[in-house]
Amino acid sequence: MKILKDLFFIVTLPVLLLVAWVIWSSQSSSFFVPDWGQMTNAFSNVWTWNRIQSDLLPSVGRLFIGIVLSIVIGIIGGLLIGSFRWLRQLLEPTLEFFRAIPPTVLIPVMMLLIGIGDDMKVAVIVLGAVWPILLNTIEGVRSMDEVLSDTSHTYGITGFALVRYLILPSALPQIMAGVRQSLSIALILMVISEMFASSAGLGYLIVQFQRSFAIPEMWSGIVVLGLIGVILSFIFQAVERVLLKWYHGQRELENAA
């Protein structure tokens, strides 16, 4: 019963929006608002297996690599910076400087330094997606319970054991909050990086359709982007439920008290 209830809440709003669009597009004469028939034709003609292999899968691969690198760099960097006050004080102004620079303005520079291949596109994703994870990890380490910290020092827990059993679990809720923010940033930057000096990819395809006034095909690419975002969100929620099972259980007990 709970599964049906959850499914109802998940699909109700998308179905209502789909019905509203079908009704609106059937009444509209605008060239930029395709109707149901045009969209189904666009999907069947554009998203063939060959197109998926040449444009969609490479984009998803670059997105996946960029997210994984952002998580690894963000967590390791955040644990190091958050664990040492002097390092945090030393790096904080520099981090704030680089965080304030939009990754999109660095794309021409990255093209000159790295080239126009996949490395540049992955680097752009990492440059934007790493910041929420890094900063949330630093804050998670900083806000570690002082009682736990004092207890670990008392029992002589140091080094990898301290990180593995105390610091990382304590900071994990904030790390996951940073990862959630990074997913949408990574998806946006994946599209933008493919709009510059690219000959394949989802972003390149959408721009080409827009420039050739293939409006239904352009909208089909945008819908595919949205579906990738939804799938990423569901995967993240599943991973979060596993990693933070203890945290959600603790919150339920606190709320019930």
Side-chain angles (χ1 to χ4, degrees):
M1 190 63 185
K2 186 177 183 302
I3 295 176
L4 291 176
K5 185 179 177 182
D6 291 342
L7 187 63
F8 173 77
F9 283 115
I10 290 173
V11 302
T12 298
L13 184 57
V15 169
L16 289 176
L17 289 173
L18 183 63
V19 171
W21 165 71
V22 170
I23 295 173
W24 178 44
S25 63
S26 66
Q27 306 296 322
S28 175
S29 58
S30 173
F31 173 72
F32 299 101
V33 183
D35 58 24
W36 173 262
Q38 290 173 314
M39 285 299 293
T40 52
N41 285 336
F43 266 100
S44 60
N45 293 331
V46 173
W47 299 107
T48 60
W49 177 242
N50 287 336
R51 181 77 73 182
I52 291 173
Q53 282 184 306
S54 62
D55 291 290
L56 181 58
L57 292 182
S59 293
V60 174
R62 288 189 286 268
L63 176 66
F64 176 75
I65 295 172
I67 290 173
V68 170
L69 287 176
S70 300
I71 291 173
V72 172
I73 295 172
I75 291 177
I76 293 177
L79 289 174
L80 284 173
I81 297 171
S83 298
F84 302 99
R85 179 177 293 181
W86 64 268
L87 187 59
R88 195 166 58 244
Q89 292 174 334
L90 178 69
L91 294 179
E92 193 169 15
T94 307
L95 292 178
E96 290 297 330
F97 172 80
F98 283 109
R99 187 171 73 93
I101 300 175
T104 50
V105 304
L106 295 176
I107 291 179
V109 180
M110 302 300 291
M111 289 169 61
L112 293 173
L113 294 176
I114 305 177
I116 59 174
D118 290 345
D119 294 346
M120 182 274 289
K121 299 176 180 65
V122 172
V124 170
I125 294 172
V126 174
L127 281 175
V130 73
W131 294 109
I133 304 171
L134 178 68
L135 297 177
N136 274 277
T137 305
I138 294 173
E139 192 57 35
V141 175
R142 284 181 59 188
S143 59
M144 181 180 167
D145 190 342
E146 291 185 3
V147 176
L148 277 177
S149 180
D150 294 340
T151 305
S152 64
H153 287 300
T154 302
Y155 284 95
I157 303 173
T158 58
F160 179 76
L162 179 66
V163 175
R164 168 69 179 82
Y165 296 107
L166 289 175
I167 295 179
L168 197 55
S170 175
L172 199 54
Q174 287 194 254
I175 293 174
M176 295 306 291
V179 173
R180 178 189 286 272
Q181 296 173 32
S182 293
L183 294 181
S184 57
I185 295 173
L187 187 60
I188 293 169
L189 291 175
M190 178 201 77
V191 176
I192 293 175
S193 67
E194 292 173 352
M195 291 179 174
F196 294 86
S198 181
S199 59
L202 204 46
Y204 165 80
L205 206 59
I206 292 172
V207 170
Q208 291 304 308
F209 286 143
Q210 182 261 330
R211 288 175 179 169
S212 59
F213 293 96
I215 303 304
E217 289 77 6
M218 181 194 73
W219 279 110
S220 74
I222 295 172
V223 171
V224 169
L225 267 180
L227 292 175
I228 293 174
V230 171
I231 293 170
L232 275 178
S233 174
F234 283 143
I235 294 174
F236 171 81
Q237 290 177 31
V239 173
E240 186 189 40
R241 274 197 295 272
V242 174
L243 293 179
L244 294 182
K245 189 176 181 180
W246 61 272
Y247 175 74
H248 293 304
Q250 183 182 358
R251 292 290 300 271
E252 289 177 4
L253 287 175
E254 290 174 355
N255 293 332

